[in-house]
Amino acid sequence: MSTERVHPVGAAQPPGPWADEGPPWRPWSAPPSGRLPWLSSLGLAFFQLVGTNFASVQQPDRAELDPLAVVLLVLGPLLLLFRHRYPRVTVFGTCAVATVYLAAGYPYGPIFFSVALACFSAITAGHRRAAWGAVGLSWLAHALVSHWLYRWLPPDGDGAAGWWQEMGIAAWVMVILALSELARVRREQVVRERGERAAAERRRADEEALRIARELHDVLAHSISVINVQAGVGLALLDQDPEQARAALTTIKGASKEALGEVRQVLDSLRAPGSAPRSPAPGLDRLRELTAQAATAGLQVETRHEGQRSGLPPGVDLAAFRIVQEALTNVIRHSEARTARVTLRYERRALHLLIDDDGPASSTAGGRADAGSGGNGLVGMRERAAAFGGTVETGPRADGGFRVQAHIPLPNEESP
């Protein structure tokens, strides 16, 4: 028996899968408390200042670092403080800062890290066009500066850059964009997988709720039907035949005790998920008890077995028992029949159930047509059989009775 936790209808719903930790993109989209990413931006500013100073030693032909260069080196990380809230503005701003820095003739260095981080944040946040456009415009501006505008820009005496240098820069730009796109795709995949897992959990919870509702319906419908019949007998014979009334009350007590035991077994799976059931689920081995209960309600049941009886899987055994139980319950509630026949035919790969009664339908219970067309019991029988790939057919017989016929395939023992 499954022990999946199910939340009753009307109860407070459980929190979503991201209630505590937020969606998977949260670490890259906004700090949990809405604070700005000061630590990473400050660290990047320090790295750019120190790294550019070291890089300038190897580039004596470039312009010397001055206060404007320091401002530009710090301005990129400053813009990165807002990369989670305004990713498009940040990526365009850092690209513009880097373009101005290189157009001023300052040494090449870690200033590209600001552009890379802004591009990564914008793409993973979903602003792909803004990131590609900003980086593309920045590269185009650098190419214009390196091959045309260098004549009028510092440092003095600077010549045109080689196209191999531009190709190298373009290659690094493509690497940054590709890594950002891969991170975006992976993050979307994680989001999709979490959504699928959440949907699967909700579906399993719904299936478990339906299973428990079906179990409770089958248990209560049969037991209450027996109790109702015996209560009527007891009331009718209370004064005329006290001994017969006592027997009816004894039957009521036994039926109610059994019903309470089965209801408690079903509810135990909700109270203590993961624990083993206290008693085994009912199966066809309890068919004799079922027919005895029906006999106390005035219905004589004849059972017949065909084929070689063999052990059934627990799920199939329970489904077969509940189908027979519901069929006999419908006879008691919706028919004036006094006899019924239950035939179990065992085959190597299927179990066939046949429940017949001699009718006719009861006029006081709403008629057999109501039970067969829209009753929850017959719907539950079909659902139980369908869970194992089987079918249930119901309908009136030519002689005025009613028939329930079920076919439940058995799993292939040879398959792993």
Side-chain angles (χ1 to χ4, degrees), residues 48 100 271:
Q48 288 190 169
V100 172
R271 297 193 181 102

Side-chain angles (χ1 to χ4, degrees), residues 95-278:
C95 287
V97 169
T99 301
V100 172
Y101 174 89
L102 295 176
Y106 296 123
Y108 291 95
I111 192 170
F112 294 109
F113 281 86
S114 295
V115 177
L117 183 53
C119 177
F120 181 87
S121 298
I123 289 180
T124 53
H127 304 287
R128 302 174 60 203
R129 292 183 180 179
W132 282 78
V135 174
L137 289 175
S138 180
W139 179 84
L140 180 60
H142 179 268
L144 290 175
V145 169
S146 300
H147 295 276
W148 183 44
L149 299 178
Y150 68 91
R151 299 180 181 88
W152 301 280
L153 296 174
D156 296 333
D158 192 16
W163 283 105
W164 284 109
Q165 177 182 338
E166 295 301 324
M167 296 298 293
I169 295 175
W172 277 109
V173 169
M174 294 305 298
V175 168
I176 294 172
L177 293 173
L179 292 176
S180 301
E181 290 289 349
L182 287 176
R184 178 189 62 83
V185 172
R186 176 54 184 165
R187 188 157 291 111
E188 291 179 353
Q189 182 181 1
V190 170
V191 173
R192 183 169 59 255
E193 290 175 353
R194 288 193 176 187
E196 291 174 354
R197 286 197 298 269
E201 291 176 0
R202 289 193 297 268
R203 185 167 58 253
R204 285 194 296 269
D206 292 341
E207 292 173 354
E208 183 70 1
L210 178 61
R211 183 194 69 80
I212 292 175
R214 190 185 300 126
E215 287 288 325
L216 291 176
H217 171 273
D218 292 347
V219 171
L220 296 178
H222 175 76
S223 300
I224 292 177
S225 296
V226 173
I227 290 173
N228 180 65
V229 171
Q230 291 299 318
V233 172
L235 288 175
L237 300 177
L238 186 60
D239 296 329
Q240 302 174 2
D241 192 344
E243 289 300 323
Q244 188 69 21
R246 182 186 298 274
L249 292 176
T250 303
T251 302
I252 290 174
K253 180 180 179 180
S256 60
K257 181 180 180 180
E258 181 179 356
L260 287 175
E262 293 198 36
V263 169
R264 186 179 297 110
Q265 178 183 355
V266 173
L267 295 182
D268 278 345
S269 64
L270 294 178
R271 297 193 181 102
S275 60
R278 298 181 182 179

